[in-house]
Amino acid sequence: MTASLLRTSPLGEREAEFAASGMDIREAGFRAMVNVRVDSASAAADAIGIALGVPLPVVPNTVCGGERAAVWLGPDEWLIYGADGDTPRITALATEALGPVSGSVLDLSANRTTIEISGARAREVLAKGCALDLHPRVFGEGHCAQTLIGKTQVLLWQYGNAPDYRILVRASFANYLADWLLDAAASGW
Amino acid sequence: MTANSERLPEGGRIDRTKPLRATVDGIEILGYRGDTVASAMLANGIRTVAPSLYRSRPRGILGAGNEEPNALVRVERRGSSPMLPATTVELTEGLPVHTLSGIGALEPNSEAKDLDTRFAHTDVLVVGGGPTGLAAALAASEGDARVLLLDDQPELGGALLRGTDAELLDWAGGAAELLRARPEVTVVSRCTAFGYYDENYLLAVERGETLDRQRLWKIRAHHVVLATGANERPIVFAGNDLPGVMLADATRAYVNRYAALPGSEAVIATTNDTAYEAALDLAAAGVSVRAIVDSRAEPPEDLAAMACQAGIEVLADCVVAEATGTDSVAAVRIVRFEQPRRTVRTIRADLLAVSGGWSPDVGLFSQSGGKLRWNETLAAFLPEHSRQRQHIAGAARGRYGFARCVADGRFAGVSAAESCGYPAPDSPLRPGISERATRVETEQRPVWIVPAETGKPAEWREHFVDLQRDATVADIARACGAGMRSPEHIKRYTTIGTGSDQGRTSGLTAVGVLAWLRGMGSPGALGTTSFRAPAVPVSFELLAGRDTGKLLDPVRTTPIHPAHRELGAEFENVGQWKRPWYYAREGEGMHEAVLRECAAARTGVAMMDASTLGKIDLIGPDAGEFLNRLYTNGFKKLAIGSARYGVMCGCDGMVFDDGVVLRLSENHYTLTTTTGGAAGVLDWFEEWLQTEWIELDVWATSVTEQWSTVAVVGPRSREVIGAIAPELAVSNAEFPFMTVRETVLGNGIPARIVRVSFSGELAYEVNVANWHGLAAWREIERAGAGFGITPYGTETMHVLRAEKGFPIVGQDTDGTVTPIDLGMDWIVSKRKDFIGKRSLSRPDTARADRKQLVGLLPDEHGTLIPEGSQLIGEHTPVTPEVAPVPMLGHVTSSYHSAALGRTFALALLRSGRERIGQTVRTPVGDRLVSATVTEPIFYDKEGARRDG
Amino acid sequence: MLLIECPWCGQREETEFRYGGQAHVDYPSAPAETGDTEWAEFLFYRDNPAGPFAERWMHAAGCRRWFNAVRDTRTNEFLGVYRIGEGQPA
Ligand SMILES: [Zn+2]
């Protein structure tokens, strides 16, 4: 039996509720997430970007890349995001590129799960509990932010123009956030 | 009265194609879409509302908006607020309305409403949809700035809706259309801004068409334009609270906007020009207007001529001294303004329309930190100085008249957009409108009070100042007599202005009366009372929004939660976490379940979900040095693959958190924190790394939820670990206490297994990726089945550790306890420095009589001392004569022990270590029980059990 | 609610931040040699001006960076923010 079949995701039991919500909303579980910390001005930062094929963005709250992406978390901190199963490769490439330079590469793939929410009402539903200005002039495709939705911390990331958002939330808060989003989506307002 | 008897045959902004029926106090009324409850009442001849709250005086409708103090109603509709002004409730089909005397009742089981919250951001926020606000919003949005316009009515137009000027109404309609067509403009009707806070943060309530729908707007605006208009003031005279006394502008609203007649024979009392419009509009609607009573000696000639043409007599230099009538106004007595105030005339009338001048609505401006200044000409407090990025425009700053409002609004809108980086192209308003001539207003002659001819002010109990509070000139005079001088003191002494109408019709009037009583010329020198949020009543449930029920606070669960539910666990709240408390089997209560779980851990094997512990990885060449500086003991020399327990103190030397540190490689440590302390510890690390020791090369990362942890505890735990991890050598020699091993479980899951013990028994913690937590739990359950493995909860965990005297930070400590107080001298390094070390030698921290952790054994073996119980000496008298009884400390943990066959406790006790062997007493229920002070360890003092 | 400018993330709501008290209170370089009075002052005594006050904030729900800010305690107005290690703006 392979270990990957034994995984459970925090919102695995909520699929039907998402489907019935009238919104384009779903859990994207088991995505690769590797935390990288390194001085952004160092050659190692560049080397990691080259090795991964996605530069580590230096503009705060932005994302570089496509299916494999580097998400800005702080001036010396990024989350490398990828498809399910990409974690070992990301970890190996980043660790090797970092070399003896001070920094850290840590697998955090199971730390958070991803909720994807798309479509015309997505922005409006998020605005019910997210204090960020999500207007396209301010927060568009390729923007990310660590912020609060309702009462939980999230990493919010607009990855498409539908608009499409990814909300990365710590596993233990995922059900709260799902409850919150479903309640907000069901509002008659 | 008959249905719709007082409805004008034509006109108004009501939709006559949409007739509606409703009831007021059981009486059926007819109305139309576009009516308020108040306008429909008047149209159906209902002019009297519920009597006043304190003096049961008959009352009528005074206003036509949220200034209304009298006409309060309860609407029997799902989700309605307990008390609403009838002047603000839109009439809908079948609405059952009950008039109220000033106090509503909360519904104890109010049904669910559709309440919503939304954050909004805008370049320019315009508050108010009258001519000023419309002009501002139009101008601001010409250059593509994002504009949000809030208006509290169902229809835009503001004061224009109360008039009949078709051209102006057309303009408003056109402006509204234009705004709605602009993609970056949002117009929100039925929306009242009620709070204005720092950094242009405003709160507003949007009402749905039905009473059960409300939305809270939380708005950040780069620039704000306040176009909040002005409120008309009443005049204080005898009997001014009788039904039939109405604000002059409100009478215009009723005849023009709602086509409802507020009376048939009217007298107008005014101090200024605006009431002439009301007089002419009433006359045009068929009301017999008997006279305009003008306080000014020489009213403007053009207005006087228009009145004359309409057949209305103008009584100049006169004021109303008294309205008389039993249940409503029947007659109005008019006197000369100048002394002696001889009676000029007494006129029969059922409507007395009053205008005591206008007060700009500066509530939001004032909330925002803006400063006000008295303007003698306009007899009003006007905005003088803004503290935030805002403009206040139009009537809200004393610019009256359509043309001036539009020009002022436009200027504000252009400046606001410019300040956001969106200069407006130079396109004037629709030709003709901005040039439209408006007569320049003439001076007013303020009248705050028309004194009675007899008696003293303290006796004038029919000169009303605050109708909702039933407060009169007599009340203000008594407040003055009691020594009150400032408006703030008067307000609190008399309660004037504290009603749900926020004193819109009484606030400045009270100051005017106070100025008169104190012999001062005008209210200017006295100032106003403070304006505070909320400017209109809002319910707590609206502010709570969706943060109720299961969304009140996040409920955190571990990936193993489904297994706990299947096992029938009772859950305990630990911070936001739901943790299994105990797992009761058929027929068991908590007590039996915990004894069974404890016995399993001490004699067989048991398992617990320990996933909630905080976890932090520290990576970097200075990680060991960093740990050395933060923990009281040393970690630099910890062997790779080994674990060590550590305690952290704050700078004050008090225990702050504890946990186990593992060294995974030369430069990589990982550590646990308490469940509640996880976020605080990471913050603490980052604080030192970022602000104080920036030279240290260490990276701290929270990995709390990357890992899920199952503790496997008990003499047979080694066998279970051996069964789940076939590749692992588990003998005591090969896997000794306080070491860590990486392995792969038999089912293919990678695991990090640590030999640590929080119970004194042989024990392991199996760490796997969070998404494997449930599978790991089930695997351990399966492998342990043959050994009778027993799941246990937090209660058993607490008992097991307490039997060993292991304190829990946050339960046995409270931020005033040092490691020395806990008896942990062994963990406090003498050689190295660490955070908090210096504080341990402060005179107070080094005192010998500090509270110290001790054990307690109750003399009665079955008696459980409640946690938190206070302790007193064995012979301390507890009679009331010698109170207060000196307390020696308190119980921090208390349990039944299966292993000891008795109860025991931990306590913080003054000079505790010196008292070992002595007796203390503590209340249990109504009795005092005795307990012996012991060392804080009760079980396996030699530590013989940890290797199994 | 305050709007606070994180030097990295820009303006965010106050709820995203943790307050850290007075800025530029250095940890004593040699605690063991610090007298009781001096140590107590380091632990417990802070300025409390009516006016501009240099203080520390941390963008707790965001990038988790500590930074300094000068806030006028009378009006709550932020006069400036600056990163750790940067000098206090004049
Ligand atoms: Zn930030």
Side-chain angles (χ1 to χ4, degrees):
Chain A
M1 195 181 323
T2 69
S4 69
L5 294 177
L6 292 172
R7 297 179 299 180
T8 57
S9 70
L11 301 175
E13 295 171 16
R14 310 295 299 265
E15 216 171 303
E17 288 171 80
F18 288 146
S21 71
M23 298 277 303
D24 185 359
I25 181 170
R26 64 213 158 262
E27 183 190 28
F30 311 129
R31 295 291 171 91
M33 297 184 218
V34 177
N35 192 273
V36 171
R37 299 200 68 175
V38 65
D39 180 352
S40 65
S42 66
D46 285 340
I48 292 171
I50 290 163
L52 293 172
V54 286
L56 305 181
V58 289
V59 177
N61 298 302
T62 61
V63 181
C64 288
E67 191 178 13
R68 186 188 281 167
V71 184
W72 188 93
L73 297 180
D76 54 19
E77 186 169 11
W78 295 265
L79 191 70
I80 313 302
Y81 190 88
D84 182 10
D86 200 16
T87 301
R89 182 102 183 108
I90 294 171
T91 308
L93 289 171
T95 306
E96 193 193 351
L98 179 65
V101 174
S102 162
S104 85
V105 176
L106 276 173
D107 174 14
L108 287 179
S109 305
N111 193 52
R112 298 184 179 98
T113 191
T114 305
I115 297 176
E116 292 180 345
I117 177 168
S118 300
R121 275 191 75 212
R123 188 174 286 131
E124 181 196 325
V125 167
L126 292 176
K128 293 174 191 291
C130 175
L132 289 187
D133 187 355
L134 299 178
H135 190 278
R137 283 182 192 172
V138 180
F139 192 95
E141 189 175 347
H143 281 84
C144 68
Q146 293 164 94
T147 186
L148 300 162
I149 293 181
K151 293 183 174 179
T152 186
Q153 289 185 27
V154 296
L155 169 57
L156 180 68
W157 163 15
Q158 186 178 336
Y159 69 99
N161 258 333
D164 313 272
Y165 296 95
R166 286 195 178 111
I167 310 171
L168 277 61
V169 60
R170 287 172 67 172
S172 68
F173 287 98
N175 274 288
Y176 163 82
L177 183 62
D179 287 339
W180 190 95
L181 286 167
L182 289 166
D183 190 75
S187 164
W189 281 98
Chain B
M1 110 200 47
T2 54
N4 254 336
S5 63
E6 307 302 308
R7 182 77 72 179
L8 292 169
E10 55 191 27
R13 306 191 70 76
I14 48 172
D15 183 352
R16 291 179 198 253
T17 68
K18 304 258 167 55
L20 301 167
R21 281 166 194 279
T23 61
V24 175
D25 296 331
I27 299 163
E28 180 162 287
I29 60 168
L30 300 179
Y32 299 102
R33 192 177 151 85
D35 261 323
T36 63
V37 166
S39 69
M41 286 167 73
L42 290 173
N44 286 269
I46 303 174
R47 294 178 189 166
T48 302
V49 298
S52 72
L53 176 56
Y54 301 106
R55 291 176 56 189
S56 295
R57 301 210 13 133
R59 288 286 164 82
I61 297 164
L62 182 81
N66 62 15
E67 77 280 11
E68 177 60 42
N70 287 334
L72 299 168
V73 295
R74 172 173 66 86
V75 180
E76 233 177 89
R77 269 289 158 88
R78 192 181 79 95
S80 171
S81 296
M83 184 168 81
L84 294 162
T87 49
T88 65
V89 180
E90 288 176 49
L91 194 72
T92 51
E93 180 60 31
L95 212 58
V97 178
H98 303 272
T99 58
L100 278 180
S101 290
I103 290 186
L106 285 172
E107 292 253 357
N109 302 310
S110 94
E111 291 171 71
K113 302 179 191 183
D114 192 357
L115 299 175
D116 194 40
T117 306
R118 74 159 291 172
F119 288 91
H121 298 261
T122 184
D123 294 313
V124 180
L125 169 68
V126 180
V127 182
T132 310
L134 289 171
L138 280 173
S141 57
E142 273 159 23
D144 209 26
R146 294 157 68 191
V147 174
L148 177 59
L149 171 65
L150 309 182
D151 183 63
D152 71 349
Q153 294 292 308
E155 186 181 4
L156 293 174
L160 296 179
L161 302 176
R162 297 182 170 197
T164 52
D165 190 322
E167 198 191 345
L168 298 187
L169 287 164
D170 273 358
W171 176 86
E177 227 171 276
L178 210 56
L179 286 171
R180 292 204 162 96
R182 291 184 177 166
E184 293 302 342
V185 175
T186 307
V187 178
V188 189
S189 291
R190 296 187 176 92
C191 187
T192 311
F194 64 82
Y196 195 145
Y197 308 89
D198 290 312
E199 303 288 346
N200 276 347
Y201 184 65
L202 285 92
L203 295 184
V205 53
E206 179 185 2
R207 296 170 300 278
E209 287 190 47
T210 53
L211 292 163
D212 59 341
R213 303 188 71 228
Q214 288 193 6
R215 167 147 72 171
L216 179 68
W217 286 73
K218 301 179 167 185
I219 304 163
R220 283 280 183 199
H222 187 278
H223 205 101
V224 174
V225 176
L226 294 172
T228 43
N231 294 312
E232 197 167 23
R233 297 190 294 254
I235 300 172
V236 177
F237 49 81
N240 64 335
D241 68 326
L242 278 175
V245 177
M246 197 178 270
L247 291 170
D249 204 53
T251 65
R252 282 187 79 211
Y254 288 118
V255 295
N256 293 334
R257 181 172 175 183
Y258 302 110
L261 282 174
S264 53
E265 297 176 306
V267 168
I268 316 293
T270 188
T271 63
N272 63 89
D273 293 354
T274 56
Y276 284 77
E277 276 183 298
L280 295 169
D281 288 351
L282 286 169
V287 175
S288 166
V289 180
R290 296 299 183 76
I292 296 174
V293 182
D294 195 325
S295 63
R296 296 171 297 185
E298 288 173 8
E301 277 173 22
D302 56 336
L303 290 179
M306 283 160 81
C308 184
Q309 240 170 26
I312 305 169
E313 186 183 7
V314 175
L315 297 171
D317 205 14
C318 287
V319 288
V320 168
E322 191 179 8
T324 54
T326 42
D327 295 328
S328 61
V329 175
V332 177
R333 188 165 64 82
I334 297 151
V335 299
R336 279 260 161 259
F337 184 88
E338 300 294 350
Q339 300 283 359
R341 294 200 151 143
R342 67 177 176 77
T343 299
V344 175
R345 189 96 46 95
T346 298
I347 299 176
R348 198 187 62 185
D350 62 357
L351 176 64
L352 174 51
V354 180
S355 178
W358 292 81
S359 297
D361 193 332
V362 293
L364 290 175
F365 171 81
S366 192
Q367 279 188 38
S368 76
K371 292 278 170 289
L372 303 174
R373 189 191 187 123
W374 178 254
N375 181 298
E376 200 64 53
T377 315
L378 295 176
F381 285 100
L382 298 189
E384 186 187 36
H385 172 71
S386 285
R387 194 170 73 70
Q388 304 205 33
R389 295 183 306 275
Q390 75 188 180
H391 278 81
I392 181 162
R397 66 174 190 127
R399 299 290 170 99
Y400 300 122
F402 177 78
R404 264 177 295 175
C405 283
V406 167
D408 209 32
R410 179 170 172 74
F411 172 77
V414 168
S415 325
E418 253 172 24
S419 83
C420 312
Y422 293 96
D426 188 27
S427 64
L429 295 177
R430 261 171 49 198
I433 290 290
S434 60
E435 292 81 36
R436 189 186 167 94
T438 302
R439 48 181 308 283
V440 174
E441 264 159 63
T442 43
E443 251 179 64
Q444 48 181 309
R445 189 182 203 181
V447 178
W448 303 104
I449 172 176
V450 181
E453 287 95 331
T454 56
K456 296 190 172 68
E459 297 159 2
W460 298 345
R461 299 184 71 240
E462 305 211 340
H463 283 65
F464 281 84
V465 177
D466 187 329
L467 296 167
Q468 192 172 130
R469 287 294 182 193
D470 262 349
T472 63
V473 171
D475 295 313
I476 299 181
R478 274 194 300 112
C480 287
M484 308 295 144
R485 288 290 177 272
S486 83
E488 295 284 4
H489 289 154
I490 298 287
K491 171 178 176 172
R492 281 150 185 83
Y493 196 88
T494 62
T495 75
I496 287 172
T498 60
S500 60
D501 59 350
Q502 291 266 310
R504 277 188 174 70
T505 56
S506 60
L508 189 58
T509 310
V511 184
V513 170
L514 177 64
W516 180 81
L517 285 169
R518 292 183 53 190
M520 302 165 81
S522 82
L526 288 170
T528 64
T529 54
S530 302
F531 294 89
R532 292 196 176 86
V536 294
V538 288
S539 65
F540 283 108
E541 61 183 341
L542 175 70
L543 299 177
R546 53 176 48 80
D547 296 343
T548 63
K550 66 179 171 184
L551 297 179
L552 177 66
D553 200 34
V555 171
R556 302 177 68 182
T557 54
T558 74
I560 307 171
H561 199 71
H564 304 322
R565 273 196 318 234
E566 286 162 26
L567 289 164
E570 285 293 325
F571 290 95
E572 179 185 29
N573 291 329
V574 182
Q576 292 173 323
W577 290 99
K578 282 255 180 280
R579 298 193 66 181
W581 193 10
Y582 58 92
Y583 301 80
R585 288 184 184 162
E586 194 70 32
E588 281 183 345
M590 175 176 174
H591 178 69
E592 295 76 23
V594 171
L595 289 181
R596 173 179 50 75
E597 291 172 14
C598 286
R602 293 267 183 241
T603 61
V605 59
M607 63 192 289
M608 185 188 72
D609 180 359
S611 305
T612 61
L613 286 184
K615 301 164 200 82
I616 297 170
D617 271 24
L618 285 172
I619 295 179
D622 294 325
E625 169 64 21
F626 179 65
L627 290 167
N628 262 20
R629 294 188 191 183
L630 285 174
Y631 284 86
T632 60
N633 48 340
F635 288 91
K636 235 172 159 171
K637 292 176 191 150
L638 180 66
I640 292 168
S642 287
R644 183 172 291 160
Y645 172 77
V647 170
M648 255 182 288
C649 297
C651 290
D652 58 1
M654 303 303 154
V655 172
F656 158 61
D657 206 86
D658 69 345
V660 173
V661 180
L662 316 180
R663 189 170 198 175
L664 300 176
S665 67
E666 177 65 23
N667 293 341
H668 190 171
Y669 292 77
T670 186
L671 57 94
T672 62
T673 73
T674 57
T675 295
V681 172
L682 184 66
D683 283 1
W684 182 239
F685 285 4
E686 288 288 359
E687 183 173 347
W688 288 101
L689 289 173
Q690 290 179 35
T691 72
E692 202 67 44
W693 300 327
I694 48 176
E695 73 283 0
L696 288 189
D697 198 344
V698 188
W699 306 93
T701 308
S702 166
V703 297
T704 296
E705 299 202 37
Q706 171 65 20
W707 297 95
S708 189
T709 306
V710 182
V712 184
V713 177
R716 308 202 69 177
S717 58
R718 182 175 287 126
E719 293 161 80
V720 176
I721 295 297
I724 61 163
E727 294 172 12
L728 192 66
V730 295
S731 73
N732 192 44
E734 288 166 297
F735 191 176
F737 185 57
M738 291 311 251
T739 60
V740 54
R741 296 287 180 268
E742 306 275 352
T743 186
V744 176
L745 304 187
N747 60 7
I749 296 175
R752 175 186 293 161
I753 302 180
V754 193
R755 245 198 85 187
V756 289
S757 179
F758 196 42
S759 56
E761 300 299 325
L762 174 69
Y764 301 82
E765 284 183 1
V766 181
N767 297 279
V768 297
N770 208 32
W771 55 39
H772 281 140
L774 185 59
W777 173 274
R778 297 212 193 281
E779 177 69 2
I780 293 165
E781 220 178 11
R782 189 193 57 73
F787 306 99
I789 197 163
T790 302
Y792 69 94
T794 50
E795 189 65 17
T796 291
M797 182 257 289
H798 282 200
V799 176
L800 296 175
R801 62 88 202 176
E803 287 170 345
K804 288 289 292 179
F806 298 150
I808 287 190
V809 174
Q811 170 156 347
D812 302 298
T813 72
D814 58 5
T816 68
V817 180
T818 69
I820 313 295
D821 297 336
L822 292 175
M824 289 186 163
D825 315 50
W826 54 272
I827 208 172
V828 176
S829 170
K830 306 282 181 294
R831 288 192 299 275
K832 68 170 183 95
D833 194 13
F834 58 86
I835 295 298
K837 184 174 192 178
R838 172 63 185 83
S839 288
L840 297 180
S841 60
R842 288 182 59 236
D844 184 63
T845 323
R847 275 187 298 118
D849 65 343
R850 290 181 59 82
K851 287 184 182 172
Q852 294 156 341
L853 188 74
V854 295
L856 291 182
L857 288 172
D859 290 356
E860 303 163 10
H861 290 195
T863 298
L864 187 75
I865 308 172
E867 288 172 358
S869 296
Q870 294 291 321
L871 302 171
I872 60 171
E874 184 178 11
H875 304 295
T876 306
V878 290
T879 51
E881 292 73 39
V882 292
V885 178
M887 303 292 172
L888 296 179
H890 65 277
V891 173
T892 57
S893 296
S894 181
Y895 309 98
H896 289 276
S897 167
L900 307 176
R902 56 164 303 152
T903 58
F904 71 105
L906 295 173
L908 286 170
L909 184 64
R910 189 165 299 288
S911 308
R913 280 196 285 279
E914 284 173 24
R915 293 182 200 267
I916 287 171
Q918 296 178 10
T919 296
V920 292
R921 292 185 303 160
T922 185
V924 174
D926 299 334
R927 312 181 294 133
L928 275 179
V929 301
S930 297
T932 306
V933 180
T934 69
E935 290 281 353
I937 179 163
F938 303 89
Y939 185 76
D940 183 30
K941 286 181 191 167
E942 312 73 33
R945 305 186 58 82
R946 65 165 209 215
D947 292 332
Chain C
M1 186 160 52
L2 300 178
L3 193 62
I4 299 171
E5 183 164 335
C6 167
W8 285 273
C9 303
Q11 291 188 326
R12 296 288 186 93
E13 299 290 329
E14 183 183 348
T15 47
E16 293 193 3
F17 294 86
R18 206 192 107 180
Y19 184 61
Q22 185 174 354
H24 311 300
V25 179
D26 288 338
Y27 189 70
S29 56
E33 279 98 70
T34 308
D36 282 338
T37 309
E38 221 180 310
W39 185 254
E41 275 178 13
F42 160 71
L43 284 181
F44 304 123
Y45 288 69
R46 294 295 181 268
D47 296 338
N48 185 23
F53 184 47
E55 58 195 15
R56 302 186 310 160
W57 289 85
M58 197 261 281
H59 192 187
C63 66
R64 306 195 48 77
R65 293 312 105 171
W66 282 92
F67 60 94
N68 295 319
V70 178
R71 181 178 57 100
D72 191 320
T73 58
R74 295 163 303 185
T75 60
N76 266 342
E77 195 180 339
F78 281 84
L79 306 174
V81 294
Y82 51 106
R83 298 176 184 185
I84 300 292
E86 291 177 353
Q88 185 173 336

